Amino acid sequence: MSDKLASMDRFVEFVAETLELDPPSTPIHYVWVPRALHSEDTWICPPNALGCFERDGPDGHGVVYSTELDLLHELVHAVEIPALGRSHPVFEEGMANYLSTAWSSAEVLPEFPAVFKAGVAPGRHPGGVLSMHFVGALLARGSMAQYVDFRSRLDYDDGLAQLAAAYKEVFGTSLDDFLEDASMAPVVGHGVDPLCADSPTIQWDGLGSLDTTLSWACGDGVTFGISGTFRTAFSLDVVQQGNSRMTISSAGGGDELFAMLDSCPVGDKGSSNVILASEGQSAPGVLWPGRHVLTVSLTPDPSLAGELHLKLR
């Protein structure tokens, strides 16, 4: 896990820099709790949540509880909330999504003002992409200092009237005018998968079949895990759009695999054409031209290295 923990540290520093804060001076404790181990003693988050952040953990430090090995969304909370305090969830969740994902809000633009306002209520926010779009649009039109000031004027249980009043106090114009203007252009989250930027592992013209063996090993920069649950990833450049079928299997005929092939965001478009495949099963989908990332969940052998077989046709 050393290389993964180092990348998570760099992400914490990125969040602090974006928020114009000093990096946390005390450790952030990260507790991985697989769903199979959830109980009243191990899981303090809502039952269906992927994770949550507890500001005051048992030893006084902030604690992230997560069903995933690297839930960056909660790390944003772990930086922002101790430094800036609690606020309405539209800020907390919006900023966490804005900094941890590469989502595009293009699809929510047509009805953004109405749907956003309908979703703001005491202790409630209008959804992940909508809140992300709200925060990203604020930062595109104002400074981080204004965002912090605006955020500080709202409590967790405030509603739309309090949000509109606070916006007027900070920016001098109406919230309705801002929401209408914000519906003119999409926001794309700042989260970046390094595999979307680095050189590709595989290049495929999309015309013939692709049949290749891929190697993975701990310490290769993308493979990580703990307690027998590991994940690795590869990048794939697609030249031509077309219908495809993906099959993935263990090259050694051993452990069961599960894989997701997803496109990287381009411009104002987020990734959306996902193909999911289990060990040995052929899964259909459409691949677009451009970079894709193949993420594979696996159970490693004792050598902590292995190979897998990928077929695309």
Side-chain angles (χ1 to χ4, degrees):
M1 289 291 293
S2 58
D3 50 351
K4 171 54 67 173
L5 291 172
S7 72
M8 292 168 78
D9 279 347
R10 290 192 295 271
F11 179 76
V12 167
E13 293 168 356
F14 156 72
V15 173
E17 181 181 2
T18 303
L19 294 173
E20 299 179 3
L21 301 168
D22 292 329
S25 59
T26 56
I28 299 169
H29 291 247
Y30 192 100
V31 181
W32 174 54
V33 188
R35 290 196 181 277
L37 299 181
H38 284 197
S39 69
E40 292 183 359
D41 296 327
T42 63
W43 190 246
I44 70 167
C45 309
N48 295 323
L50 291 177
C52 62
F53 171 67
E54 183 180 10
R55 180 175 180 176
D56 299 310
D59 58 359
H61 296 306
V63 182
V64 169
Y65 295 90
S66 173
T67 61
E68 299 184 5
L69 286 169
D70 61 340
L71 188 56
L72 300 183
H73 177 106
E74 297 301 329
L75 288 181
V76 180
H77 293 322
V79 175
E80 183 180 35
I81 292 173
L84 302 180
R86 298 303 306 262
S87 183
H88 193 278
V90 73
F91 295 99
E92 295 182 5
E93 299 304 319
M95 182 61 78
N97 289 326
Y98 182 59
L99 296 184
S100 70
T101 75
W103 295 345
S104 167
S105 62
E107 293 184 358
V108 307
L109 293 181
E111 300 179 352
F112 172 67
V115 176
F116 178 86
K117 289 189 289 186
V120 176
R124 197 179 75 191
H125 66 98
V129 176
L130 289 161
S131 291
M132 184 208 76
H133 181 80
F134 175 73
V135 166
L138 281 174
L139 295 178
R141 291 160 176 79
S143 66
M144 183 59 68
Q146 287 175 308
Y147 166 81
V148 172
D149 185 11
F150 186 16
R151 183 188 186 283
S152 71
R153 295 170 186 262
L154 275 296
D155 293 325
Y156 188 85
D157 289 324
D158 283 340
L160 183 61
Q162 290 88 348
L163 187 73
Y167 183 89
K168 177 75 171 180
E169 291 170 356
V170 174
F171 294 97
T173 58
S174 75
L175 179 66
D176 282 344
D177 288 346
F178 163 71
L179 296 178
E180 288 294 337
D181 183 59
S183 67
M184 297 296 104
V187 166
V188 178
H190 281 199
V192 177
D193 187 332
L195 287 172
C196 288
D198 294 342
S199 58
T201 308
I202 317 157
Q203 187 158 331
W204 183 44
D205 60 14
L207 300 175
S209 296
L210 175 70
D211 190 336
T212 186
T213 298
L214 302 169
S215 300
W216 62 269
C218 280
D220 61 13
V222 294
T223 302
F224 67 97
I226 190 171
S227 300
T229 299
F230 276 63
R231 195 175 80 188
T232 192
F234 307 90
S235 55
L236 167 69
D237 277 0
V238 177
V239 176
Q240 180 170 315
Q241 179 176 336
N243 295 324
S244 302
R245 299 193 71 88
M246 179 173 76
T247 306
I248 191 162
S249 59
S250 172
D255 299 310
E256 297 258 333
L257 306 178
F258 178 79
M260 178 177 74
L261 183 62
D262 194 7
S263 61
C264 293
V266 178
D268 63 357
K269 296 181 179 179
S271 58
S272 59
N273 60 326
V274 178
I275 302 178
L276 302 174
S278 298
E279 170 86 23
Q281 296 181 349
S282 179
V286 178
L287 293 183
W288 301 333
R291 178 65 53 83
H292 293 67
V293 172
L294 176 69
T295 304
V296 185
S297 298
L298 46 83
T299 303
D301 61 29
S303 68
L304 299 181
E307 295 181 333
L308 53 94
H309 210 152
L310 171 67
K311 291 183 181 180
L312 286 168
R313 59 177 176 83

